[in-house]
Each structure stands twice: as structure tokens, then as C-alpha cells.
Amino acid sequence: TFRLALVQAGVVLSFVVLMLVYVYFATAGQLVRESDDLADQEYATLERAYAEGGMRRLNQEVVERAARQGPFLYILAENNGAVVTGDFQQLPVTPGETPERISFSFERIDEEGAPVRGRASGRIGRLINGPILLVARDLGDSEILAARITRVLLTVAFVGVILSVISGLVA
């Protein structure tokens, strides 16, 4: 009976672990994909603003958006990397010739003046005639949600294994 209980617990544990891995990657992956899609849309909007109104209009758009203190982070820099305006004093990376997706850690000051550390994911690239544009999304809320989901799934896995062992021992 004990061996049967162990086999049953192993089967349940394997199933629960597989389910945990699937749900985690499906959830966390979806959160990152949505974040990247939103950053791509924002980048495209600012790229159009630059095409229509040049550097002056793009600078105005970046200043207005950076002042909102939302989940998006912006940097507009000259072609040599000197920051013109945005949420940070320097670029996290120097872009190549084509826009690319990046993930980076950052630190900025919140409304109360306290430093806030976080992770962001977005797009950085050189626009026509050289200015550099970075649009990223703070992943803080997504990471908190993924951590909560992970804790719930681990709890469910633990309870499932315990119940499986108990039911195997009782039978």
C-alpha cells in the first residue's frame, strides 16, 4: 500500500508540476507579450509624430508623455546618445541601426522623491536622420501578478500532493 501511495503521489506531483509550468509560462508569457505590444504601439505612434513634425514635435510628445508618470518610460536622445529628454539621464544601451527589443533594470524618483527600482521591457531604435527613441513599459505590475500566480499554483501543488499521499495511505 505504501508503494502504491508513493506511485500515486508521484503521478499527481508530476501532473501538478507540469500544470504549474504551463500556467506560469502561459501567464507570464502573455503579460510580457502584452507589455511588448503596447510598447511597440507607443513607439510606432511616436515614430509617426517624428515623421510628421520632426524633432521638435517628437520632443514635445516625449516631454508630455514622460510627465504623465504612467507605466511607460521614454528617452529621446541625439544620434550620439546624449539624452535630450525623458525619464532617465542616460540610455540603458546604445542601439544598432534597426529598432530592437530590450529589457533592462532602472532606477527613478517617484512623486514623493523616493528612489524606485524596477525592470522594463520595450523598444529602442534610431529614427531617420539619427535621433534615438526608447519606449519601454515598467514590468512592476506584471511581475507582482506573476509572483502571486506562482504562489497560488505552488500552494495548490503542495495541497494536491499531500491529499494524494493521504488518500493513498487511507486506501
Side-chain angles (χ1 to χ4, degrees):
T1 357
F2 185 70
R3 286 183 192 167
L4 184 59
L6 286 178
V7 169
Q8 185 179 1
V11 169
V12 170
L13 179 63
S14 298
F15 175 74
V16 170
V17 166
L18 287 174
M19 184 180 71
L20 172 73
V21 169
Y22 170 75
V23 170
Y24 176 78
F25 282 109
T27 305
Q30 183 64 29
L31 292 171
V32 169
R33 280 189 298 277
E34 285 177 5
S35 181
D36 287 343
D37 288 346
L38 291 171
D40 289 348
Q41 290 171 4
E42 190 74 4
Y43 185 92
T45 300
L46 291 172
E47 198 171 30
R48 277 193 305 277
Y50 176 70
E52 293 170 0
M55 185 69 166
R56 186 175 186 169
R57 173 144 181 237
L58 178 59
N59 186 38
Q60 178 183 352
E61 291 285 335
V62 170
V63 167
E64 289 173 3
R65 291 165 189 225
R68 289 185 197 151
Q69 291 294 321
F72 285 103
L73 306 167
Y74 303 90
I75 296 178
L76 176 60
E78 297 174 358
N79 60 1
N80 63 3
V83 173
V84 175
T85 190
D87 289 301
F88 309 113
Q89 299 299 318
Q90 63 185 20
L91 291 167
V93 298
T94 303
E97 293 302 315
T98 59
E100 57 194 67
R101 187 165 316 286
I102 63 167
S103 291
F104 60 96
S105 297
F106 67 89
E107 183 175 310
R108 69 176 175 172
I109 307 300
D110 66 5
E111 295 86 20
E112 290 85 38
V116 175
R117 293 175 192 253
R119 295 233 3 106
S121 175
R123 182 171 290 282
I124 187 170
R126 293 182 185 274
L127 303 176
I128 298 170
N129 298 327
I132 299 169
L133 176 63
L134 165 76
V135 177
R137 192 156 194 270
D138 184 350
L139 297 175
D141 293 340
S142 299
E143 288 178 344
I144 291 170
L145 184 57
R148 286 182 183 164
I149 290 169
T150 302
R151 279 194 304 272
V152 167
L153 291 174
L154 287 173
T155 302
V156 167
F158 179 74
V159 169
V161 169
I162 296 298
L163 291 176
S164 174
V165 169
I166 291 172
S167 69
L169 291 175
V170 170

